[in-house]
Amino acid sequence: MLRSICLFLSKNKMLTKFAQAYGLRFGAGRFVAGETLTEAVKTVKRLNQNGLSASIDYLGEYAGSEKDARRTAEECKKAIRAIADHQLDCELSLKLTSIGLDISEKLAEQHVRDILTEAKERRVPVTIDMEDYSRCGRTLDLYKRCKPDFPMLGTVIQAYLYRAAEDISSLMPYKPRLRLVKGAYKESAAVAFPDKKGTDLHFQQLIKLQLLSGHETAVATHDDDIISYTKTLVSDHQIPRGQFEFQMLYGIRTERQKELAEEGYRMRVYVPYGTDWYGYLMRRIAERPANAAFVLKGIFKK
């Protein structure tokens, strides 16, 4: 019930504006690095010093105009330059709706290619995030068009979607660099597993499919069972540690992140920043209701 409510509220425009007006006061500071790129860079530097890689994401979805899409694209290029200039162990994560996918696929692809050109020159990896089911096909189609020109480009596959294994198979000719996740949007049972058990079993199948293909794989999870499964799989098949990594969200299971890094695994932390953090925060609560306690503390803290 809480998950459904949070996912519904994540799309409420009035609450989004309210949250932006009051900044990160409402507990979001635990999960968001700050509102500026400067704050995000400081966070990534600290993570790198602790042996953790990072992926920064300029928060924002559903650009309402070409001007908004262009502004986000410019911020992404600015972030790439900062990653290179500060020699950070960091990639950029990118949402297509924030750079105009819902306005025009042509516009979004133009912005993607501009961003990727900057990234290629500065040798900064970029991963295209996956959003809800309605945008899945268009996202993968754009990825396929851009990947041959930008080898360091990655994208995301969501395990709760029935189509995920077929999508991975269709990407094999492109030698895909994939981030595998469970999925955080509310989807119909017609297109997605409605239960955790089904999603987890599918997640394991996808991890095996991608890892045994020999392609770069990021297993993005906070679930110890999925982590253990991955460790056993790579050990049994002697998969080199340079081929895969674990990923977790900033502010969640920070001690576990350090443990994995100390065990010799590459551990990457997803670091969001920006003023448009409300929808992101609601999805984090939906994924793990215990996160709501941190938000409530922020609301009532003097």
Side-chain angles (χ1 to χ4, degrees):
M1 177 67 73
L2 179 60
R3 181 175 187 273
S4 296
I5 292 172
C6 288
L7 291 174
F8 173 77
L9 292 176
S10 71
K11 299 180 180 179
N12 187 291
K13 294 182 179 179
M14 183 179 72
L15 289 176
T16 297
K17 291 181 179 179
F18 178 81
Q20 289 174 335
Y22 282 87
L24 296 175
R25 170 187 167 189
F26 297 118
R30 175 183 173 88
F31 309 103
V32 179
E35 296 187 341
T36 67
L37 178 58
T38 298
E39 291 172 303
V41 167
K42 288 181 180 178
T43 297
V44 172
K45 283 183 176 180
R46 176 172 52 80
L47 291 170
N48 287 174
Q49 289 168 358
N50 290 327
L52 303 170
S53 303
S55 178
I56 61 173
D57 172 29
Y58 177 58
L59 292 171
E61 302 174 34
Y62 318 124
S65 67
E66 291 189 14
K67 180 180 179 181
D68 289 341
R70 184 169 58 253
R71 177 176 54 80
T72 297
E74 289 302 319
E75 179 68 21
C76 289
K77 288 188 281 187
K78 181 180 175 182
I80 288 169
R81 291 192 289 271
I83 291 170
D85 292 345
H86 291 276
Q87 298 182 321
L88 302 177
D89 179 1
C90 185
E91 68 170 23
L92 175 77
S93 288
L94 172 67
K95 285 184 173 62
L96 294 183
T97 56
S98 73
I99 56 172
L101 181 64
D102 290 352
I103 299 171
S104 160
E105 288 187 41
K106 182 178 180 180
L107 175 67
E109 183 167 345
Q110 175 187 329
H111 285 315
V112 167
R113 288 185 175 276
D114 287 345
I115 292 167
L116 292 177
T117 298
E118 186 87 39
K120 188 175 183 178
E121 291 175 356
R122 295 176 181 267
R123 301 185 62 79
V124 174
V126 175
T127 294
I128 297 175
D129 278 339
M130 189 59 70
E131 301 178 70
D132 62 8
Y133 180 81
S134 67
R135 298 170 176 89
C136 181
R138 287 182 289 162
T139 298
L140 293 179
D141 287 344
L142 192 150
Y143 177 78
K144 291 174 182 177
R145 293 195 297 271
C146 293
K147 183 66 163 63
D149 298 324
F150 302 98
M152 297 175 74
L153 180 63
T155 193
V156 176
I157 295 292
Q158 298 165 316
Y160 69 173
L161 296 182
Y162 302 138
R163 61 177 286 173
E166 183 179 340
D167 285 335
I168 290 179
S169 296
S170 75
L171 291 171
M172 287 300 178
Y174 299 87
K175 299 180 180 179
R177 184 171 67 86
L178 296 180
R179 176 194 300 155
L180 305 179
V181 305
K182 288 189 179 182
Y185 293 84
K186 184 173 177 58
E187 303 290 1
S188 163
V191 300
F193 290 95
D195 63 306
K196 182 179 185 299
K197 182 178 179 181
T199 299
D200 287 353
L201 288 173
H202 199 213
F203 199 178
Q204 292 176 2
Q205 294 170 11
L206 301 181
I207 292 168
K208 185 174 183 179
L209 176 63
Q210 176 67 4
L211 279 173
L212 295 187
S213 74
H215 301 141
E216 288 186 67
T217 307
V219 180
T221 184
H222 304 100
D223 188 324
D224 281 325
D225 289 338
I226 297 295
I227 292 171
S228 295
Y229 171 82
T230 304
K231 288 181 176 181
T232 300
L233 181 69
V234 300
S235 176
D236 289 347
H237 293 274
Q238 298 183 325
I239 294 171
R241 292 197 177 186
Q243 184 192 325
F244 75 98
E245 65 185 30
F246 291 109
Q247 294 188 2
M248 292 187 187
L249 300 171
Y250 178 68
I252 300 179
R253 302 208 68 188
T254 54
E255 290 304 315
R256 189 69 175 114
Q257 294 172 14
K258 294 177 183 178
E259 289 173 2
L260 287 168
E262 289 170 356
E263 290 172 16
Y265 294 100
R266 188 165 59 187
M267 177 71 236
R268 189 177 302 276
V269 182
Y270 188 88
V271 180
Y273 77 97
T275 59
D276 194 8
W277 50 264
Y278 171 76
Y280 175 84
L281 176 62
M282 288 296 102
R283 287 195 296 277
R284 299 296 75 79
I285 296 174
E287 288 174 342
R288 186 169 181 266
N291 291 337
F294 297 106
V295 176
L296 291 174
K297 287 181 182 179
I299 292 174
F300 295 107
K301 185 177 180 181
K302 294 182 180 179

